[in-house]
Each structure stands twice: as C-alpha cells, then as structure tokens.
C-alpha cells in the first residue's frame, strides 16, 4: 500500500490501526514513567532543581536534533525497520540509564533516548494519519491523542505499583519499549509505505508550506509544558496547597483525555481549521479567567475545559496535516511537528517563568494568553488574505 492511497474508499483497516495505536500507547507509558522516575532519583541524590531541569531538557533537544533526519532514515532503511530499530534502541538506552545512575552520564543518554524515540513516535503518527479514511480522520486522530495522553498519565501511576528504587521501575519501562516493538512487528505488513522514491520533501523544505500549522504546534507544546512546570508555582503565589494544585493539574489532564474524540467529531462536521481556532480562542479565555477563578470552585470546570481545548490545538493541527499532505510531505510534516513541539517545550516555560519574576503570578496567564492570542489573530489575518 502506498502512502498516497489514503483509504479513499472510506474503509477502516482496524487491525493495522489498532496495532499502531497500541504501539504508541505503550511508548507513551514508558515515556510518562521515565520523566518523574529520573527526577525522583536525582532529587534523592541531592541534585539541584536547576540541574534536574537541564537533565530533563536533553530529551526534547534529542527530538529537535533527530527530527530533520527522519524522512531520510525512512527512505534509506524503510519506515518499519527504522521504527523497530528505534524501539530496541530505546530499551537499551533506558537500561543504560538504569545501570549508570549518574547525573552527568545521564545528559548524553537522555539526549540519545530523545533521538531514538522520536522516529518511533513520528512514524507511528504518519501511519495513523495515512490509515484514516478522510471522512473519519477527526475521530480517529481524537482517539490517537486520547490514547497518547492516557499513556503518559498512566506512566507515573506505574511508579505507585513498583516504586522508584532499584531496577523494577526501569524494567517496566524497558519491557514497555520491547512490547511496543512487538506490537509494531505484528502489523508491519499491513502498514502503508512511507519510504517512497519519488518527490522528496525535507523538514526544512516543509516549513514554508505550513508555517501556521507549525506555529500552532509551538503554541500547544509551550502551553502544555508551561502549565505543567509553572501552575504549581502559580498556586504558591495564592498560598494554595500543593495537593490542590496537583489535583487541578490532574483535572486538566482529564479534560485532555476526555475531550479529544468529541473535538475530532466536531472537526468532521465543521473543519479542523475552524475547530482549532475555537480551541485557541477558548484557551485565551481560560488565561483571562484563571486569576479570577483560581480561588473559587469554578476553577475545576474551567481547567477541565482548558486542558481539553489547549491540547485540541495540537489534535486539530494533526487532522489538518492529514487533510492537506500525503507522501513524503506528510512524513516531513510530522517530523517538523516533532521539532516544533521540542522548540515550544523548551522556549515557553523559561519565558513564562521570567514573566512571573517580573509581573508576579499573572506572568503565567499573561504569557500563555499572549502566545495563544497571537496565533488566533494570525489565523484570522491569514483567512482574510486567502
């Protein structure tokens, strides 16, 4: 099956779709487990918060560095072989991290785990988009986003069962990467080919083709990482206890998980671009309401919707990517999405943190609201110029 033949007859290849989504869900569990696990270990070792943050940043740096290489790897070695190799290398890298237990050795290892997990994530996303019939792409990408979010949320829960000491948590993560590769191997023959020999589009060549979509990815990533990193700090300005702020973050994640499929169905009735604009506008509204509602019971439904629509920006961007591009442009586009996710995740949290130093607590909603408002205005202006 060629990637350009995107199920134009409208049929669903459920076996292939289920296999790919199972692959990425297990991958998400492993990733969701590793972030808090390594932070807990470094904290026990007496490593400073700044050093822990720098260590964690190595993985998204690995995403950024590896993203431009993914289309060429898929063409040279085949997408399936590349993804399977990356699953195996991810397990090896996590084993090396568990074996070394050294903050300085973890810098290159966490960078490398970002490098080797990124192609697995990007190619899985390409396969899901390519397998989705156009009439059902919204709901399917909603399911995909929901499963990834649930997987990341389930990762930390695994630590409750196995703890954070010794090899058990690392073995869970290693087993997850191995199982991820096994799921992929079972359906590899049913997956569309993405290593076409025809017209080639690089990641850098793709960027001018869809700069607004890529801007939306930067905003979605920056918002998510900024909130996860700084909402607890925001609550401290209001003397709100840590447990309540943790619960609010959980409520945001619940909104993210619960609402991506409904947003996808809405995109099928309207358009992905229009639903994305609605999501961006509601995210801005959430930034405005945060200081007003933070100490009231209304903050709970507010952050639920906030979590849903802020991640919906990314889900709708994926849907539109699949509507507009096929072939090597789709592969390059997904790799560019990953690169821009890394950029947003690295750039926005320090920007928001600096704004909080200058403006106090409101620096967080001001920064997040400003980048979302800029995206909304650019979307409107581009629509008028079209």
């Amino acid at each position: 099956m060629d990637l350009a033949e995107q199920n134009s007859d409208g049929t669903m290849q459920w076996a292939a779709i289920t296999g790919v989504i199972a692959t990425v869900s297990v991958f998400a569990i492993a990733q969701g487990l590793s972030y808090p696990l390594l932070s807990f270990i470094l904290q026990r070792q007496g490593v400073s918060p700044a050093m822990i943050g720098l260590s964690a940043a190595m993985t998204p740096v690995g995403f950024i560095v590896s993203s431009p290489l993914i289309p060429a790897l898929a063409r040279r070695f085949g997408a399936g072989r590349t993804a399977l190799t990356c699953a195996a290398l991810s397990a090896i890298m996590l084993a090396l991290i568990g074996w070394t237990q050294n903050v300085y050795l973890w810098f290159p290892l966490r960078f490398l785990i970002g490098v080797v997990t990124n192609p697995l994530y990007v190619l899985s996303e390409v396969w899901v988009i390519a397998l989705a019939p156009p009439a059902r792409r919204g709901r399917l990408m909603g399911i995909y986003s929901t499963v990834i979010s649930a997987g990341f949320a389930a990762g930390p829960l695994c630590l409750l069962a196995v703890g954070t000491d010794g090899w058990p948590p690392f073995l869970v993560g290693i087993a997850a990467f191995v199982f991820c590769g096994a799921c992929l191997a079972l359906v590899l023959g049913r997956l569309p080919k993405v290593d076409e020999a025809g017209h080639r589009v690089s990641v850098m060549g793709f960027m001018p083709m869809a700069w607004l979509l890529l801007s939306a990815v930067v905003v979605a990533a920056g918002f998510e990482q900024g909130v996860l990193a700084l909402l607890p700090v925001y609550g401290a300005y209001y003397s709100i206890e840590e447990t309540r702020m943790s619960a609010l973050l959980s409520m945001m994640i619940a909104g993210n998980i619960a609402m991506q499929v409904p947003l996808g169905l809405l995109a099928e009735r309207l358009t992905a671009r229009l639903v994305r604009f609605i999501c961006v506008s509601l995210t801005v509204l959430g930034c405005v309401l945060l200081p007003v509602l933070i100490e009231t019971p209304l903050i709970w439904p507010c952050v639920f919707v906030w979590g849903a629509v802020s991640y919906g920006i990314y889900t709708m961007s994926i849907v539109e990517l699949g509507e507009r591009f096929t072939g090597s442009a789709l592969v390059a586009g997904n790799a560019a999405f990953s690169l821009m996710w890394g950029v947003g995740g690295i750039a926005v949290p320090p920007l928001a943190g600096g704004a909080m130093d200058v403006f106090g607590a409101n620096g967080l909603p001001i920064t997040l609201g400003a980048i979302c408002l800029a995206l909304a205005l650019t979307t409107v202006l581009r629509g008028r110029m079209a």
Side-chain angles (χ1 to χ4, degrees):
M1 187 198 314
D2 190 89
L3 187 58
E5 298 170 3
Q6 293 195 20
N7 294 316
S8 56
D9 60 353
T11 60
M12 281 278 207
Q13 300 192 43
W14 283 112
I17 290 169
T18 302
V20 176
I21 290 181
T23 297
V24 82
S25 67
V26 179
F27 161 79
I29 291 171
Q31 288 285 84
L33 174 146
S34 66
Y35 277 101
L37 170 63
L38 302 186
S39 294
F40 285 135
I41 292 172
L42 291 176
Q43 196 170 31
R44 283 201 301 266
Q45 294 177 356
V47 176
S48 70
M51 186 69 79
I52 293 173
L54 284 173
S55 177
M58 290 300 100
T59 299
V61 170
F63 291 167
I64 292 171
V65 170
S66 63
S67 291
L69 306 176
I70 295 172
L73 287 172
R75 287 193 299 267
R76 174 67 178 83
F77 300 105
R81 188 180 301 170
T82 299
L84 286 173
T85 302
C86 286
L89 289 174
S90 298
I92 292 170
M93 289 301 160
L94 192 56
L96 287 173
I97 288 173
W99 179 56
T100 54
Q101 296 282 318
N102 182 291
V103 64
Y104 298 106
L105 290 175
W106 281 8
F107 273 83
L109 288 174
R110 295 185 82 169
F111 169 79
L112 288 173
I113 206 167
V115 169
V116 298
T117 56
N118 193 32
L120 180 62
Y121 173 76
V122 168
L123 293 171
S124 295
E125 194 165 274
V126 170
W127 282 318
V128 175
I129 294 171
L131 287 164
R136 299 183 184 179
R137 185 175 286 121
R139 73 191 73 180
L140 191 56
M141 297 318 298
I143 293 170
Y144 172 83
S145 293
T146 297
V147 167
I148 288 183
S149 299
F152 275 111
L157 295 178
C158 292
L159 297 179
L160 295 177
V162 299
T164 60
D165 294 314
W167 274 102
F170 287 98
L171 292 176
V172 170
I174 292 165
F177 279 125
V178 172
F179 186 67
C180 172
C183 290
L184 185 59
L186 288 173
V187 297
L188 209 54
R190 300 173 178 265
L191 300 179
K193 295 180 180 178
V194 302
D195 47 326
E196 58 183 49
H199 179 62
R200 298 177 180 180
V201 179
S202 68
V203 171
M204 295 301 127
F206 177 84
M207 289 187 176
M209 299 165 61
W211 59 269
L212 186 59
L213 272 181
L214 296 174
S215 299
V217 173
V218 173
V219 169
F223 183 93
E224 179 179 89
Q225 297 302 311
V227 167
L228 289 175
L230 295 171
L231 192 63
V233 181
Y234 181 86
Y237 278 84
Y238 290 88
S239 300
I240 298 173
E241 61 272 17
E242 291 181 6
T243 53
R244 187 168 189 265
M245 296 310 299
S246 296
L248 283 173
L249 282 174
S250 298
M251 181 64 78
M252 284 196 72
I253 295 169
N256 175 353
I257 293 171
M259 295 303 294
Q260 298 313 303
V261 173
L263 288 173
L265 290 168
L266 186 61
E268 292 174 8
R269 296 182 64 87
L270 305 175
T271 65
R273 185 175 299 183
L274 177 56
V275 176
R276 188 178 72 241
F277 177 74
I278 293 169
C279 287
V280 174
S281 301
L282 289 175
T283 304
V284 174
L285 179 60
C287 293
V288 173
L289 292 176
L290 180 64
V292 179
L293 302 180
I294 186 64
E295 297 181 285
T296 74
L298 291 176
I299 192 62
W300 297 96
C302 177
V303 297
F304 181 88
V305 174
W306 214 29
V309 295
S310 60
Y311 196 76
I313 298 170
Y314 182 74
T315 302
M316 293 304 105
S317 298
I318 301 175
V319 175
E320 186 176 341
L321 180 72
E323 290 172 352
R324 292 173 54 186
F325 300 100
T326 60
S328 64
L330 180 59
V331 180
N334 275 99
F337 268 35
S338 181
L339 192 156
M340 290 295 105
W341 186 271
V343 169
I346 289 174
V348 174
L351 181 65
M356 293 178 78
D357 286 340
V358 176
F359 301 108
N362 287 332
L364 179 63
I366 287 172
T367 303
L368 299 180
I371 62 172
C372 292
L373 183 60
L375 178 62
L377 292 176
T378 305
T379 303
V380 171
L381 290 174
R382 188 177 184 274
R384 288 180 177 176
M385 291 186 292

